[in-house]
Amino acid sequence: MKSKIVNIVGGILVLLGITSCNSYLEKESFDIITPEQVWKDPKLINGVMVNLYDGLQLEDFNYWYRDSWRLMNPSTLSDEAQGSFQKDPMFDNANATYTYEDALFEQKFADRYKLIRNCNDFIAQAEKATSLSDADKSMLLAEARFLRAMHYFTLVKRYGGVPLIDAPQTYDPANLESLMLPRSKEVEIYDFIIKECQEAAAILPVTRDAAAKYRANRGTALALCSRAALYAGSIARYGKVELDGLVGIPSSEANRFFQASYDASSAIIGLKVYSLYNKKADNKTQNYYEIFIKGNGDNGEFIFQKQYNVAGGKGHDWDKRNAPFSYRAGGWGCGVAPTMEMVEEYEYTDGTQGTLKLTDASGKPLRFNNPYDLFAGKDPRLFATIYLPGSPCKGSIMEWRRGVIESDTKRYVATSQPDGGNKVEINGVVYSTSGKDGGADAGDASKTGFYQKKFWDETLTDMNMGKSETPWPVFRLGEIYLNLAEAAMELGKTADALDAVNIIRNRAGIAPLTAITMDKIRHERKVELAFEGHRFWDMKRWRIAHLDVQQGGLNGFSGSALYPWYDIRDGKYIFEKGTNTPKQKRIFLEKNYYGKINANDMNSNPKLVQNPGYTN
C-alpha cells in the first residue's frame, strides 16, 4: 500500500497512512488545501474521515503502559499472565509488592478531547456541506458519531463521568471559562454512548463494499452498544455511587443497561452477516488458532478490526516481542507469559475441571514420556492460545525445563536463561538443565513455563520490529455471544444464556453445559477471549479486582509456574507447581476502579472534580 499524505491547514488534521482498509487509503496526492476547499470536495471530506479513525485508542498489539519493554498490558496486569523480562519494575523483586498505579492506562483529557473536538467539528461541517448527497452526508455523520462514542467509551471506562461535549466550542480569549465544563455523571456518559450507537446503527449499512469494508457498519455500532451497555449494567449492579454520581451508576439502572446490551447483541446475531469461524471443524485446535492469524481478518467472525501493512510502514512488533526464547532471532521476545492459573482455567473436553493432574491418588508424581502428554484431553482452545512445554512450533517444539533429576536426593536446577550455559555432566553425559526456551528464574525467558500463542505468526521469517501483520479484532462475534449470555443471565433469561454459551463451547469442541451460572459465564469469557484485552476491564467492571486472589481477585496475585523436571534414570518427566515465581505480589485498591485524572487536566479546568482516593 502506498501511503499518501494530505496536509490540511487551519485546524483540520493531517491525513496519515493509517492501518484500516488498503483501498480506502489509496487517496490521490494534494498540495496544501484550505478548510474551505475540503468541504467542497467529497474526496477530501473522506480524507478527513480517515484521520478520525486514526485517532481511535485501540488496545491492540502496540498498547503498553509506559514503555513497551515493561510488558505491562491488559493481559499481564490481569490474572492471565505476567511479564517475562526480569528487569521490569513491576515483575522483578519477588519479595516486594506492586500497587496498581494511579495513572494506569490513562488517557489525558488534553489528548482525548482534541479528538472528540475533531469529531464535533467534522459533524458540524458535514451537516452544512453542499458537496455531499443526502445519503452520503447521513452515512458520514453516523460514522463520526460512532467514532465519537468510541472516544467517550475510552474515557468513561477509565474515569467514570467526564465532561460531555457534543458540539464545537468557540474559542474566546476573553471568556475562557465558557470552554470549561464540569464532569457529567457516569450514567449520562453511558447513556450518550448507547444513544449514539443505536442511532448510528439505524443509518449505517449492514455491509460495506470492498473499498470500505474496514469502516464502521451497522454491526460495528451495535457491538460498541453491546459492550458499553454491558459495562454500565455491571457497574450499576456491582459498584457503588460516589461524588453524586460522577462515578458509579445507581443499581436501579442495571436492568435497563443489561437489556440494551442484550438487544444489541441479539440484533447483531439477527443480521446473519457474521458467523463463528469453523472452517476446520475437524481440527478444533487449528480452527481456533486460525481465527487470529495473518491474512484471516476477513474470516466472517470479525465485526470490526484493525489491519496492518508492512509495505505501507504500518506493521506491528508483536511477534518479535513475544517469540518463545529460541525463536526470537537475536533479542527481545518472551514478552507475555501466561500463568499456570490461566492454563488450568481450560477445562477438559468432557467438561471436567481443568486442574492439571500432576500426581496419582497417593501423591506420587505422575511420569510422562513427553511433557506435552500432561495436557492430553484439555480444551482445544488451550493448545491454540498458549505454548505449553512440548508444544509444536515452527517445525520443532517449545522446550521449557526446570532442571534435571539424578536421584531422589540430587537435582540440578536451571540457573540462567537458555543461552547462559545451564549444563551439567552426570556420569560422563552432558545434560541441559533448562530447555531451549527457558527454565530458570533469571534472564528474559518465561518464568512460568508458558508463552502466548494466540496472535503469534508461525509463518513469519523476518523477526525484526514492525514486520507483523496479524489483524487485531476490536469486536468479534465470539464476544457478542458472551455479552448476550451475561446480559441474559443478569435479566433472568437463563435459557438464552445457556444457549449462547453452548454455541461457543460447541465451536471450541468442549462438552456443552447442562445448567448455567454467572460464574460459568465469566469462566467461558475468560477462556474464549483470553489475551484479547478483555479480562482486565472485566475484573474492574465486576468489582472483583480488589478481592484476595483466593476469592478470584488480584490482591496477592503474582502467578504460578509449571516446573517440568527431566529424570535421567528413566528419561521421563515429572511436574511440580511453582508458586514462588520471581514476580511481585499485587495490590489492587478499591480506588483503582477509576483512574486518577491527570494533574494538568485538573489545573486547566477548575470545574473538574478528582476521583475518590486521589489528590493532585
Side-chain angles (χ1 to χ4, degrees), residues 75 80-81 336 338 342 385-386 452 454-455 472 529-533:
S75 288
E80 293 177 325
V336 175
M342 185 66 207
T385 304
I386 296 174
Q452 182 177 328
K454 183 183 278 189
F455 300 118
W472 179 261
L529 303 179
F531 307 107
E532 295 178 48

Side-chain angles (χ1 to χ4, degrees), residues 92-112:
D92 68 358
N93 192 357
N95 295 321
T97 56
Y98 170 77
T99 301
Y100 283 76
E101 296 171 51
D102 294 351
L104 188 64
F105 299 134
E106 73 173 354
Q107 284 289 309
K108 296 182 178 67
F109 286 14
D111 296 332
R112 193 55 37 194

